[in-house]
Every structure is written in structure tokens, then in C-alpha cells.
């Protein structure tokens, strides 16, 4: 799972902000969901052939993928070679067909389990100032102290000269909430300044959007995308610690250092030239120079029907960039369906972690056993269970181990842009990331609860295990946007991200809360996240069995699960 809401990982503080919150949170579930019957009423009555999915099998896979020999599974290293070779060999041994090298339909003979994922590393060296001018004012903002900027344009230099500044509220166009901060606005060539998060999450009125739960409209990536769709030259987000939930230092460390991005066909030409953040203090000075007051603009932006305000100022700056191309790979295999092979259920987990790095307590290998060795172990166990099942699935099942998750969901984002199998024929993505090795659970916590009908499938499978469904306990931290299922949601494919982790079957709630907190503080994204023989992998097996059952049922149906009304991803789905 990626740290925080910010793009770049290796931010322990950021991880704590999100995850410690999750673990220290009240041990009372906000809503224990009533066990309603599944919506579609076509639950399979055949017994679950989940025999291949046992704690012992999980343990074997988990020890293999998180061993020191895997060198922390970092992209572009020997560790990548080892883990991708291992995964491909496992897929082959299971008799799954290769689904990589996207040149032909797999029935036409794909020969590789690898999908190359070309990435560009962009290291930015911005000009040391931003110049603001207009209304008889001149204002100079200092890099790092007042702002950070970067660019997704794959060019050695990017410059913005005399670009008119516009304040556009939250920078959100959300038809399902009747919200349009760009209404009547032409921002071509202009630089848009927006508030962080979304009106419900950051404003005073919690009836707006999803209240405290962050929607995709609150994500900085969304704001950059929306500004680019409107042809803006730049987008700057006003950082405010309170709604952002992380301090400026997190923005700063995320913005410095090189960034990896999946290569795009237009090399980023359709993106804004300039993306970045302003400190609250710098934004206040800028608004004052424009003859406006931040408090008044903030209040206006939180009102329905807000209209964007030209600020009467212009912005000029430039940045130099060092570009480097590197290619990593996703590993994928398919079990062709029997009667409906042209429709697909995808299981995903990320293979990458942080490699060999700074030693902590004499250990420098970031093994990533929980993150996401558990997901890989579940993926392989599920593949084996499908292969061993007496009745083969009607739809095809795809097993996808992606790269670059920890750097910002890069491998899954690349797959979503270069799908091997048509997205319109992809029924669902079932993603597994960080399953808890602390025994069997009574709950199944669904991250992003309320988004799609997949939670009805999850509920039915949970009932078979005598578990209850629980919504995300910290929806304000935006967990739904922090693992690979999100890359699929973004392009309209319903996706499930769930696991048990709230109430231990034998030890109760406090026990698991303490375990999770301890993990967050001493193991998350650290060398200490390594296999421990004392772990009880019954919970990982339980989650994997549940995922198997969900996929098995989806594979036997002819319908497509739908996004719920009000989901921000519904519009992207054609069927
Ligand atoms: Zn992670």
C-alpha cells in the first residue's frame, strides 16, 4: 500500500498519519452492517473448493516471496528479476497460460508472462522563484518555502510565462453532486489555484459530497487531471494542514527527488505544464496581492453555485528536468474460461517493495512480507484453487502481479491504460494488499464501502464464513485511492479492496487494534516487515478463500456488477 495521500513513498510520518489513524481509531465500528441477503440472488450452491487455500500453503508462498533472496523486490533491480521469474514459474507450474506481451489475443499464442511497463523517471530542478505580477503588485515566491512544482511533461525544460491566475474553489467537476467549479470558466493557458480535498471533507458543511469520507475529487491527482482536461497551463493546490491531514514537510519530501511515471503515448503533452502546491501562507499573500481575502474565498468556495474568480495577476516560472527511461514489468497469467472466455475477472496484488535500503537495527532488506507478500501468496493460492476446482470457471480468470505500486500504483495504472484484455469485458478487479497475519477475523472491512455491487458479493462470501461486513473505519484518509484496485476504478472497472482486520475471532477487537498499531509503528515500510514464524496465517487464508468465492461467483454469471448511483467512477463504465 502506498503511504498517505501523497504520491511518493518512504514517508514514515505519512504512513503513520494514515495508518496509525486506522489502528488507533475507536474500537467501535462506525456501522456494523446488517447481514442482508445478496442482491443478485444467484449465489452458487456448490461447496467451496477452497482446499488449496490453507494457512500452510499461504505460508509457503509467503516465505518464498519475502525471503532475503528476493532482495526486497524493488523495480529495476536483481530483486525484480528474481520475483518476476519466480511468479512466472509458479504460473507456468500451475498450467496457467501466459498473458503478457500484449501483441495478440492469448488464444493466438502469447508466449510471455511479462507485460513490459515503460516508465520515465523525472528529476526536477525548478527555478528558485515564482514571479507574480499585476494590479501594480510584484510578488516573488521561494521554492520549498512557499511552493513546490513539478511536471508530467517529458521535456527537459518547462516554462510558464505571464499565465493569468484564477481561483477555482476545489477545482472539482462532479455532476453527481451538482458541483462545477469550472462553470463558465475558460482556463486555457491559465494557472488555476484550488483548495485541498473536497467540499465535504475539507469544508464546514458535511452534507456535501460524502462528508468526512474523501471522494476522488479530493485527491490531488484528480485536480491535476481536471485542470488538464480544461487546458490549463498550471494547477497549484493550496496546502492546509487540517484538511490535508499531513504537514507541509510531507508535501515537500514528496515533491523533491525523482519521480517515476508510467510512460504515456503523448509523453505528457496533454498534462498541465505545471503542477504543484502553495503553502497556506504563500496563498494568503497571493490573494492579498489580488485584493482578495483568503477567508472570503474559502467561504465562497464552500457554497454550492460558487463561481471561479480571476485574480488579475499572472504567474511566471520555469523548471528544468532530467529524464530517464526504464522498463519494469507486470506478471500476468490467464485461466481461460470454459464457455465465456471473452469476459474476465482479474485478481491483482503488487509484487514490488522497497528493495535494499537504509539499515534499521542492522537489517537493510525491506522484505515486504505483509506488504504485499501476503497479497502475492493469496494470489498464487487462489490461482491453484481455480486450477484444482472440479468445475472450471465459465469466464476467464486473470492473475495480475503488478509493479510500481509503492511508487504510486504505476504498474496497475499502466495496465489500465494498456489493458491486455478489454476493460469493457473485464467484470471486476479483486485486489489484495496487506492481509493481516494475525489469525482469523470476524469482520470483513471493505475499503470504499458504498462504491459498487461487489460488496454484495463480498457480503455473501463473508456470510459463508460467519463474518460481518464493516465499512472502512477511516474513510477520511482516502484508503480507497491507495492501492491498485483504484487504477481499475479510475477507468470504470468495479474493484474490491477488502480484508479482515477489526475483530479477531479468538482474541477480540483490542488485540487486533494493538497488533495493527504495532505493525504501523515498527514494521510498515521498514525492514522489520519480514516473515515471522509466530504469525497466524489463518486470517490470510480466510481472506483468500473469500476472494476466491467472490471471483468464482462472478466467473459463473453473465451479468456485470455495477457501480452504485453516486459513485464518482460510475460515469467511466460503459456497460
Ligand atoms: Zn506499501
Amino acid at each position: 500500500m502506498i503511504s498517505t495521500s501523497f504520491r511518493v513513498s518512504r514517508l514514515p510520518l505519512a504512513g503513520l498519519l494514515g495508518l496509525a489513524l486506522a489502528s488507533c481509531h475507536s474500537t467501535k465500528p462506525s456501522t456494523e452492517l446488517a447481514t442482508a441477503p445478496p442482491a443478485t440472488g444467484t449465489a452458487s450452491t456448490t461447496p467451496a473448493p477452497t482446499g488449496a487455500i490453507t494457512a500452510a500453503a499461504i505460508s509457503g508462498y509467503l516465505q518464498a516471496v519475502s525471503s532475503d533472496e528476493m532482495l526486497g523486490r524493488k523495480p529495476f533491480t536483481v530483486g525484480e528479476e528474481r520475483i518476476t521469474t519466480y511468479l512466472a514459474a509458479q504460473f507456468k507450474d500451475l498450467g496457467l497460460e501466459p498473458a503478457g506481451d500484449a501483441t495478440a489475443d492469448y488464444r493466438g499464442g502469447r508466449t510471455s508472462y511479462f507485460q513490459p511497463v515503460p516508465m520515465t523517471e523525472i528529476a526536477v530542478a525548478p527555478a528558485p522563484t515564482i514571479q507574480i505580477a499585476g494590479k501594480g503588485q510584484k510578488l516573488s515566491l521561494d521554492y520549498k518555502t512557499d511552493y513546490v512544482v513539478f511536471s508530467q511533461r517529458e521535456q527537459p525544460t518547462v516554462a510558464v510565462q505571464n499565465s493569468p491566475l484564477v481561483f477555482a474553489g476545489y477545482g472539482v467537476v462532479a455532476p453527481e453532486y451538482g458541483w462545477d467549479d469550472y462553470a463558465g470558466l475558460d482556463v486555457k493557458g491559465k494557472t488555476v489555484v484550488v483548495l485541498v480535498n473536497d467540499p465535504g471533507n475539507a469544508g464546514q458543511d458535511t452534507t456535501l459530497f460524502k462528508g468526512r469520507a474523501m471522494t476522488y475529487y479530493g485527491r490531488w491527482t484528480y485536480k491535476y487531471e481536471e485542470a488538464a482536461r480544461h487546458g490549463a497551463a498550471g494547477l497549484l493546490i493550496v496546502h492546509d494542514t487540517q484538511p490535508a491531514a499531513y504537514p507541509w514537510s510531507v508535501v515537500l519530501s514528496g515533491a523533491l527527488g525523482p519521480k517515476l511515471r508510467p510512460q504515456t503515448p503523448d509523453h505528457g503533452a496533454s498534462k498541465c505544464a505545471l503542477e504543484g502546491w502553495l503553502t497556506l501562507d504563500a496563498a494568503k499573500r497571493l490573494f492579498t496581492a489580488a485584493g482578495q481575502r483568503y477567508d472570503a474565498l474559502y467561504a465562497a468556495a464552500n457554497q454550492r453555485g460558487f463561481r471561479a474568480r480571476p485574480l488579475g495577476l499572472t504567474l511566471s516560472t520555469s523548471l528544468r528536468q532530467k529524464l530517464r527511461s526504464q522498463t519494469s514489468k507486470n506478471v500476468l497469467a490467464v485461466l481461460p474460461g470454459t464457455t465465456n472466455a471473452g469476459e474476465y475477472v482479474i485478481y491483482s496484488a503488487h509484487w514490488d517493495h522497497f528493495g535494499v535500503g537504509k539499515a534499521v537495527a542492522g537489517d537493510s532488506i525491506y522484505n515486504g512480507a505483509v506488504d504485499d507478500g501476503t497479497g502475492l501468496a493469496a494470489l498464487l493460492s487462489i490461482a491453484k484453487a481455480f486450477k484444482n476446482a472440479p468445475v472450471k470457471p465459465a469466464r476467464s480468470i486473470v492473475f495480475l502481479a503488478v509493479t510500481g505500486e509503492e511508487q504510486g500504483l504505476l504498474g496497475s495504472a499502466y495496465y489500465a491504460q494498456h489493458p491486455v484484455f478489454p476493460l469493457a469485458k473485464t467484470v471486476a478487479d479483486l485486489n489484495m494488499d496487506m492481509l493481516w497475519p494475525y489469525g482469523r477475523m470476524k469482520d470483513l472491512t471493505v475499503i470504499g464501502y458504498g462504491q459498487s455491487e461487489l460488496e454484495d458479493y463480498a457480503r455473501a462470501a463473508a456470510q459463508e464464513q460467519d463474518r460481518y461486513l464493516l465499512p472502512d473505519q477511516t474513510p477520511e484518509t482516502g484508503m480507497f485511492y491507495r492501492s491498485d484496485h483504484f487504477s481499475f476504478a479510475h477507468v470504470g472497472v468495479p474493484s474490491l479492496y477488502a480484508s479482515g482486520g477489526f475483530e479477531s475471532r479468538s482474541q477480540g477487537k483490542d488485540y487486533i487494534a494493538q497488533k495493527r498499531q504495532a505493525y504501523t509503528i515498527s514494521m510498515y515500510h521498514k525492514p522489520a516487515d519480514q516473515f515471522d514464524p509466530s504469525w497466524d496465517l489463518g486470517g490470510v487464508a480466510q481472506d483468500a478463500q473469500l476472494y476466491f468465492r467472490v471471483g468464482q461467483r462472478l466467473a459463473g454469471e453473465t451479468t456485470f456488477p455495477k457501480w452504485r448511483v453516486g459513485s464518482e467512477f460510475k460515469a467511466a463504465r460503459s456497460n
Side-chain angles (χ1 to χ4, degrees):
M1 180 191 301
I2 42 173
S3 316
T4 55
S5 18
F6 208 65
R7 181 186 294 275
V8 174
S9 37
R10 274 168 294 207
L11 301 174
L13 173 61
L16 291 179
L17 281 164
L19 289 179
L21 242 167
S23 1
C24 316
H25 207 257
S26 154
T27 51
K28 276 205 194 77
S30 64
T31 325
E32 209 162 292
L33 297 160
T35 44
T40 43
T42 50
S44 165
T45 49
T46 50
T50 51
I53 309 174
T54 61
I58 295 280
S59 180
Y61 287 131
L62 180 54
Q63 289 184 63
V65 300
S66 66
S67 70
D68 281 355
E69 283 70 47
M70 292 296 175
L71 296 169
R73 307 190 304 266
K74 190 177 181 180
F76 317 123
T77 68
V78 175
E80 160 159 0
E81 280 315 303
R82 291 189 181 164
I83 184 63
T84 56
T85 302
Y86 170 83
L87 291 169
Q90 293 297 317
F91 286 155
K92 188 160 193 266
D93 284 355
L94 286 170
L96 302 174
E97 296 193 14
D101 58 5
T103 50
D105 184 282
Y106 71 87
R107 281 159 294 192
R110 286 172 191 275
T111 55
S112 170
Y113 291 98
F114 303 128
Q115 177 185 38
V117 179
M119 302 187 200
T120 302
E121 184 188 86
I122 306 181
V124 64
T129 61
I130 281 180
Q131 299 302 324
I132 308 284
K135 296 199 167 175
Q137 307 269 343
K138 268 195 183 334
L139 185 65
S140 180
L141 302 177
D142 292 331
Y143 182 56
K144 293 198 237 181
T145 317
D146 295 326
Y147 74 92
V148 291
V149 285
F150 28 85
S151 181
Q152 294 196 58
R153 297 214 178 151
E154 296 171 21
Q155 301 165 199
T157 57
V158 177
V160 174
Q161 288 302 324
N162 302 318
S163 168
L165 281 156
V166 183
F167 175 68
Y170 287 92
V172 166
V173 180
E176 66 274 34
Y177 297 115
W179 199 277
D180 186 357
D181 287 327
Y182 284 88
L185 192 62
D186 178 3
V187 295
K188 281 191 186 64
K190 298 177 184 169
T191 296
V192 183
V193 179
V194 299
L195 301 174
V196 74
N197 290 24
D198 70 45
N201 181 280
Q204 307 297 328
D205 184 352
T206 53
T207 63
L208 296 174
F209 287 60
K210 289 184 181 170
R212 280 176 59 241
M214 196 199 290
T215 64
Y216 182 51
Y217 301 113
R219 300 287 290 178
W220 74 98
T221 48
Y222 162 78
K223 293 172 195 281
Y224 298 140
E225 288 166 7
E226 193 63 64
R229 274 193 284 274
H230 287 83
L235 182 108
L236 297 172
I237 302 170
V238 178
H239 173 263
D240 187 356
T241 303
Q242 181 62 32
Y246 41 85
W248 178 250
S249 60
V250 170
V251 176
L252 198 55
S253 49
L256 309 179
K259 278 190 194 52
L260 273 176
R261 306 185 186 280
Q263 258 171 37
T264 54
D266 70 354
H267 298 281
S270 58
K271 309 282 186 187
C272 293
L274 205 65
E275 300 176 349
W277 295 72
L278 292 170
T279 64
L280 183 56
D281 179 63
K284 284 180 176 172
R285 278 185 276 142
L286 186 147
F287 294 139
T288 303
Q292 305 264 359
R293 277 184 31 246
Y294 170 74
D295 294 352
L297 289 175
Y298 173 82
N302 282 287
Q303 298 298 316
R304 199 172 276 289
F306 163 79
R307 284 300 177 117
R309 318 257 171 107
L311 293 175
L313 303 172
T314 63
L315 173 149
S316 302
T317 194
S318 65
L319 42 101
R320 282 174 292 111
Q321 310 196 101
K322 272 206 192 94
L323 308 176
R324 187 157 69 118
S325 290
Q326 299 193 87
T327 298
S328 184
K329 43 191 170 301
N330 292 331
V331 190
L332 62 165
V334 62
L335 176 64
T338 51
T339 57
N340 201 358
E343 294 177 354
Y344 307 88
V345 175
I346 297 183
Y347 283 93
S348 60
H350 71 90
W351 63 251
D352 67 299
H353 200 58
F354 293 108
V356 180
K358 193 168 139 250
V360 179
D363 187 0
S364 59
I365 299 178
Y366 289 64
N367 302 79
V370 169
D371 182 10
D372 184 23
T374 52
L376 292 176
L379 185 78
L380 292 168
S381 304
I382 291 167
K384 193 168 186 180
F386 271 109
K387 200 64 194 174
N388 291 349
V391 181
K392 295 285 177 279
R395 280 169 162 161
S396 296
I397 312 284
V398 178
F399 301 95
L400 172 62
V402 293
T403 181
E405 191 273 351
E406 304 284 15
Q407 306 294 328
L409 319 181
L410 303 181
S412 56
Y414 186 84
Y415 181 92
Q417 294 304 320
H418 304 84
V420 174
F421 305 106
L423 295 176
K425 298 291 180 189
T426 300
V427 179
D429 171 53
L430 309 174
N431 185 54
M432 296 164 292
D433 191 0
M434 293 181 62
L435 306 174
W436 296 111
Y438 306 126
R440 292 158 65 83
M441 304 287 172
K442 283 191 180 172
D443 67 295
L444 178 75
T445 300
V446 178
I447 304 299
Y449 184 85
Q451 288 282 8
S452 83
E453 290 175 356
L454 285 178
E455 60 212 28
D456 298 329
Y457 293 77
R459 180 184 290 109
Q463 281 174 347
E464 291 178 354
Q465 298 180 327
D466 191 25
R467 297 166 77 178
Y468 60 86
L469 226 61
L470 202 60
D472 185 358
Q473 296 296 291
T474 54
E476 68 279 9
T477 60
M479 294 276 273
F480 190 70
Y481 315 105
R482 287 169 51 183
S483 187
D484 294 301
H485 59 283
F486 171 67
S487 294
F488 287 91
H490 192 228
V491 292
V493 176
S495 50
L496 180 69
Y497 182 37
S499 69
F502 182 76
E503 183 174 5
S504 157
R505 190 159 285 280
S506 60
Q507 317 257 10
K509 295 173 184 173
D510 290 347
Y511 168 82
I512 191 68
Q514 282 161 20
K515 282 285 188 192
R516 288 184 57 168
Q517 188 172 11
Y519 176 86
T520 301
I521 291 168
S522 13
M523 298 165 73
Y524 177 64
H525 288 185
K526 292 190 171 77
D529 184 1
Q530 59 188 347
F531 182 81
D532 180 342
S534 76
W535 278 347
D536 179 353
L537 296 170
V540 180
Q542 188 190 29
D543 284 344
Q545 287 165 1
L546 184 145
Y547 263 72
F548 171 77
R549 288 291 285 156
V550 169
Q552 188 186 42
R553 189 168 146 210
L554 288 167
E557 293 181 344
T558 52
T559 53
F560 284 73
K562 301 225 171 343
W563 293 102
R564 302 244 193 247
V565 173
S567 167
E568 58 266 48
F569 308 109
K570 193 174 177 63
R573 187 67 158 169
S574 48
N575 52 27

